[in-house]
Amino acid sequence: MPERKSYYITTPIYYVNDVPHIGHAYTTLACDVLARFKRLDGYDVMFLTGTDEHGQKVEKSAAAAGVDPQSFCDRVSGRFRELAASMHFSNDQFIRTTESRHIQSAQALWQRIKANGHIYKGAYSGWYSVRDEAFYAESELVDGPDGQKCAPSGAPVEWLEEPSYFFRLSEWQEPLLQFYEDNPHFVLPKSRMNEVVSFVKGGLRDLSISRTSFNWGVPVPDDPDHIMYVWIDALTNYITALGFPDTESADYQRFWPADVHMVGKDILRFHAVYWPAFMMAAGLEPPKRVFAHGWWTNEGQKISKSVGNVIDPFALVEDFGLDAVRYFLMREVPFGNDGDFSREGFINRCNADLANDFGNLAQRCLSMIAKNCDGKVPTPAVLADQDVMLLSDINAVLNEVRVHLDDQAIHQALEAIWRQISRANGYVAAEQPWALKKTDPDRMATVLYVAAEAVRNLAILAQAVMPDSMEKLLDQLGIDSRDRGFDQLGEQGRLKSGMPLPSPSGVFPRLSEKEAM
């Protein structure tokens, strides 16, 4: 038996200075969809998420909360675990940067880079943003309120002078540009790759990678007065989870380099410039891809705690149900673009696509089988051309979905599935099995069999996005839990005539704002 192909996907590790919001749910959901899809497609998957718990912001947030940093991190990290559970994320590991394995890993990476001559000690003076955990050149600053200097993100900056270790990032300009040329899909969407290349071509300065003005972080090896700069600490989590510094470990050998690092566009530079440079400087392989997605607004407004329009994913799931939330977030906006959330748009999208399209197809088909076929899978006669064409087109959509998801175009994968849902609805409407009961019962049985087969295949394909709803639907079709992988699509897993089916029930209720409120 051939060895299964491997797939490693990561979220950014989330900073614990605040509680989870819709942005965190969105990023992890995208990774969950891709991980679930690859498992269904026979891959050995490693899906990693976790929390980034070091840095000056955490130290300040803990002090403001009147607790020590570790207790603060334990509490907030717990909320991210709760989010993963409430959204039914299927991550294989949840990593925390305060774990001893991570501290060992980050220090080992530092030592490799230093041993290769890419770290030196000096002094830093320049503009620093505590909120962004980033240094900025004078040319990057913008005017904020009252003429205050701010980072491009709008975060305030302060002038910082302190001893520091530096990474020789300037020496990696040409190697990085060559790496991007050799790997043109390293960053997606393509517009983000253009941004990265432009930034690197603009010239790279050596990067300050340690701090002495606070102590909540990973100590620099052999110089504990220095704490590692948060990005060299945080980024190392992706290899910590695979057993680094043991590069001969089974997980490291199996899963590195990562197939996809999923990130928000605001942290693209750290993942697409600093991280591959760190890895190459350590003599290790860079990841295969960084995908930078967009941000959500709320009813056209930028999401902000001060405005009070933060979207709470826990509340959204409680109001509308988990799979409706998962579907909307993955379907509404081209993945990679910015998107706007509105409750009206949410309800309209879910009612149109889930209740009216997929739900109606499944409920109508299964109800007619229950009523007209003694609640058993009907026995088809010889399939007509239109029957064969519908089933063959649905069977073929897997390859199209694979292509889209390998480019992280999740919205396009869903569009491809929904085109077949629409075709199946059109097929039932054209064949009118309700009218065939009296005129041609054999043809009625054939049409209902084909429709049920269409639902089975479409439900298997949609599992990655809506696992709970598709589990209920496949249960109603009598499909064993072991027969729901993509290897059961088409002829291989065809419904068995005469098999008793449970009583059908709706999978996608219609949503209304009144009921949610």
Side-chain angles (χ1 to χ4, degrees), residues 257-428:
D259 291 273
V260 182
H261 289 322
M262 188 71 70
V263 302
K265 64 182 181 180
D266 54 321
I267 54 173
L268 175 60
R269 180 189 304 180
F270 306 110
H271 285 80
V273 180
Y274 302 167
W275 182 227
F278 291 156
M279 292 299 282
M280 289 190 283
L284 301 168
E285 280 188 87
K288 296 176 186 176
R289 175 168 299 163
V290 177
F291 190 99
H293 65 71
W295 292 336
W296 283 89
T297 53
N298 188 353
E299 306 279 0
Q301 277 192 310
K302 184 178 179 181
I303 293 174
S304 164
K305 280 197 298 183
S306 59
V307 175
N309 66 345
V310 173
I311 302 170
D312 180 352
F314 295 99
L316 205 57
V317 169
E318 187 174 338
D319 282 352
F320 296 114
L322 175 57
D323 278 359
V325 173
R326 288 175 61 106
Y327 178 77
F328 176 85
L329 291 177
M330 293 294 95
R331 179 67 173 82
E332 183 68 7
V333 176
F335 194 66
N337 293 4
D338 291 340
D340 184 55
F341 177 88
S342 76
R343 291 176 76 92
E344 182 182 4
F346 180 98
I347 291 168
N348 290 342
R349 165 67 75 180
C350 291
N351 282 341
D353 291 7
L354 301 183
N356 295 354
D357 285 354
F358 202 1
N360 181 56
L361 172 68
Q363 184 68 8
R364 187 161 56 165
C365 162
L366 290 171
S367 295
M368 282 191 283
I369 289 174
K371 184 178 179 181
N372 302 315
C373 304
D374 297 324
K376 298 176 182 178
V377 175
T379 301
V382 177
L383 298 187
D385 289 348
Q386 63 269 34
D387 308 332
V388 173
M389 188 174 296
L390 176 68
L391 293 179
S392 64
D393 285 353
I394 290 174
N395 294 346
V397 81
L398 173 62
N399 287 330
E400 184 182 352
V401 171
R402 279 183 179 132
V403 170
H404 291 317
L405 291 186
D406 281 342
D407 288 337
Q408 292 74 59
I410 300 171
H411 61 292
Q412 290 184 321
L414 285 170
E415 286 171 9
I417 294 170
W418 250 256
R419 280 196 298 273
Q420 298 306 322
I421 290 171
S422 295
R423 284 201 59 209
N425 269 315
Y427 166 85
V428 173

Side-chain angles (χ1 to χ4, degrees), residues 38-114:
K38 288 295 184 180
R39 291 190 195 105
L40 289 164
D41 210 11
Y43 282 71
D44 186 11
V45 171
M46 175 68 76
F47 168 22
L48 175 69
T49 189
T51 45
D52 176 8
E53 303 181 15
H54 289 138
Q56 193 172 7
K57 270 193 299 188
V58 172
E59 195 172 67
K60 287 187 172 184
S61 295
V67 297
D68 64 276
Q70 187 63 60
S71 299
F72 179 84
C73 291
D74 291 345
R75 185 177 72 207
V76 182
S77 181
R79 287 293 284 165
F80 281 92
R81 285 185 183 272
E82 289 170 19
L83 176 67
S86 73
M87 297 287 289
H88 290 194
F89 295 146
S90 62
N91 50 291
D92 299 287
Q93 287 197 51
F94 186 102
I95 192 166
R96 300 179 60 185
T97 57
T98 48
E99 294 178 51
S100 58
R101 63 168 175 163
H102 178 72
I103 293 168
Q104 177 191 2
S105 175
Q107 290 179 328
L109 182 66
W110 178 290
Q111 288 169 321
R112 285 184 72 129
I113 295 171
K114 188 177 181 183

